């Protein structure tokens, strides 16, 4: 049985003061009871990771893990501006998002680089959250499954059995930050296609890998999405900035 995982991705939002309030509110909300067998995480911008790690510890929030939004594909060295996986591990990260569509689009990240980043994350004892997804044009031209499956195929070719220790996030680009959520059935169909493709490689890997949905998840659509058999949780952007909305999604 795969656990349900809800991960908040703050993107480039937050401040020392608002982070304190967010964690305090979520800690209070989670103390009063959360569904069992679930996992939760939050991914603040890099500079806030140590602060959030301290706050999580101070509020004894064993149920909330920390994640990062990106990582370098290299271990260390002359890579100005990059952050190594070992550094993220050292400041308490459990999860690291790789290949988010905003990085693929704005920083021209390709599947090979995404896989190299995922390997760095795995080698440093953390869980990569590998993002895949099609654009609106790709979906409208009937190529959504082909595009997503080709993104998955590249990860399989590099990561092989180690994919069992990864999470995949299906994030249709047209649904990110637009309010246009994929219907639960559209999301389920793609998650099923991803799992089928993984099963062709290795059935054990396919049954273990958590596949999260991301793209305009809100408290009012999370219940239906999370009820789908191949949807194992969510990667939440905008709605994770509001601690009450994040809590409501975690409880969905
Ligand atoms: O990482 C999160 C996704 O990009 C979804 O963002 P969103 O919930 O604001 O649509």
């Amino acid at each position: 049985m795969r656990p349900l995982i809800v991960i908040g991705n703050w993107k480039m939002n937050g401040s020392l003061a608002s982070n304190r309030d967010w964690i305090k509110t979520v800690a209070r909300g989670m103390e009063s009871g959360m569904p069992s067998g679930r996992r939760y995480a939050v991914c603040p911008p890099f500079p806030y990771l140590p602060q959030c790690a301290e706050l999580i510890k101070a509020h004894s929030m064993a149920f909330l893990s920390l994640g990062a939004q990106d990582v370098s594909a290299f271990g260390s060295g002359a890579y100005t501006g990059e952050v190594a996986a070992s550094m993220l591990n050292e400041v308490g990260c459990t999860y690291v998002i790789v290949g988010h569509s905003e990085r693929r689009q704005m920083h021209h990240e390709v599947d090979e680089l995404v896989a190299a980043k995922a390997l760095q994350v795995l080698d440093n004892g953390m869980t990569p959250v590998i993002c895949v997804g099609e654009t609106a044009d790709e979906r409208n031209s009937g190529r959504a499954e082909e595009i997503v499956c080709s993104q998955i195929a590249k990860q399989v070719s590099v990561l092989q059995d180690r994919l069992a220790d990864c999470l995949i996030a299906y994030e249709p680009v047209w649904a990110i930050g637009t309010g246009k959520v994929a219907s639960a059935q559209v999301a389920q169909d793609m998650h099923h296609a991803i799992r089928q493709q993984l099963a062709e490689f290795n059935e054990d890997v396919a049954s273990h890998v958590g596949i999260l949905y991301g793209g305009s998840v809100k408290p009012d659509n999370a219940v239906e999405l999370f009820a789908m058999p191949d949807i194992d949780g969510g990667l939440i952007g905008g709605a994770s900035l509001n601690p009450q909305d994040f809590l409501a999604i975690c409880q969905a």
Side-chain angles (χ1 to χ4, degrees):
M1 180 78 177
R2 296 179 300 270
L4 192 108
I5 305 177
V6 180
I7 302 180
N9 173 13
W10 286 355
K11 307 194 178 183
M12 200 171 71
N13 294 289
S15 68
L16 291 172
S18 66
N19 305 344
R20 261 193 300 275
D21 291 344
W22 191 97
I23 291 197
K24 198 167 144 193
T25 308
V26 170
R28 277 204 196 126
M30 287 190 167
E31 262 166 25
S32 54
M34 297 298 287
S36 61
R38 295 188 172 194
R39 297 186 196 155
Y40 313 104
V42 62
C43 302
F46 290 134
Y48 299 136
L49 289 169
Q51 180 211 15
C52 290
E54 278 302 312
L55 287 167
I56 287 170
K57 203 164 137 198
H59 287 280
S60 309
M61 299 166 81
F63 35 79
L64 185 71
S65 301
L66 194 62
Q69 299 175 18
D70 187 31
V71 67
S72 174
F74 303 99
S76 66
Y79 302 102
T80 302
E82 295 275 278
V83 175
S86 59
M87 300 169 186
L88 298 177
N89 184 37
E90 208 169 20
V91 297
C93 288
T94 301
Y95 300 98
V96 182
I97 299 169
V98 295
H100 192 281
S101 67
E102 286 151 15
R103 301 227 40 105
R104 289 177 187 259
Q105 288 186 327
M106 290 183 248
H107 301 273
H108 313 292
E109 294 196 3
V110 295
D111 291 307
E112 290 73 11
L113 180 71
V114 174
K117 290 183 174 200
L119 273 180
Q120 283 289 330
V121 176
L122 287 164
D123 287 348
N124 284 277
M126 300 172 290
T127 302
V129 182
I130 303 169
C131 300
V132 295
E134 81 286 358
T135 63
D137 283 350
E138 288 161 347
R139 174 158 289 270
N140 294 337
S141 59
R143 297 173 59 228
E145 200 173 306
E146 174 201 331
I147 296 293
V148 170
C149 286
S150 106
Q151 292 169 340
I152 294 290
K154 303 240 179 62
Q155 301 307 311
V156 171
S157 70
V158 176
L159 300 169
Q160 304 269 307
D161 289 347
R162 299 189 79 185
L163 265 172
D165 299 320
C166 301
L167 291 173
I168 291 170
Y170 168 57
E171 299 208 308
V173 179
W174 47 270
I176 295 177
T178 58
K180 288 186 203 158
V181 65
S183 72
Q185 194 56 55
V186 163
Q188 162 60 26
D189 289 349
M190 188 63 85
H191 283 227
H192 183 68
I194 293 170
R195 208 177 297 284
Q196 287 280 101
Q197 192 193 0
L198 292 173
E200 281 168 28
F201 162 68
N202 180 327
E203 289 200 4
D204 214 34
V205 168
S207 64
H208 276 92
V209 165
I211 309 178
L212 314 185
Y213 169 79
S216 295
V217 178
K218 303 274 183 286
D220 61 2
N221 55 34
V223 175
E224 203 189 348
L225 285 161
F226 295 172
M228 290 291 164
D230 287 297
I231 299 183
D232 304 313
L235 182 56
I236 321 298
S240 74
L241 297 175
N242 178 320
Q244 299 297 355
D245 285 352
F246 182 71
L247 276 169
I249 293 169
C250 289
Q251 285 160 339

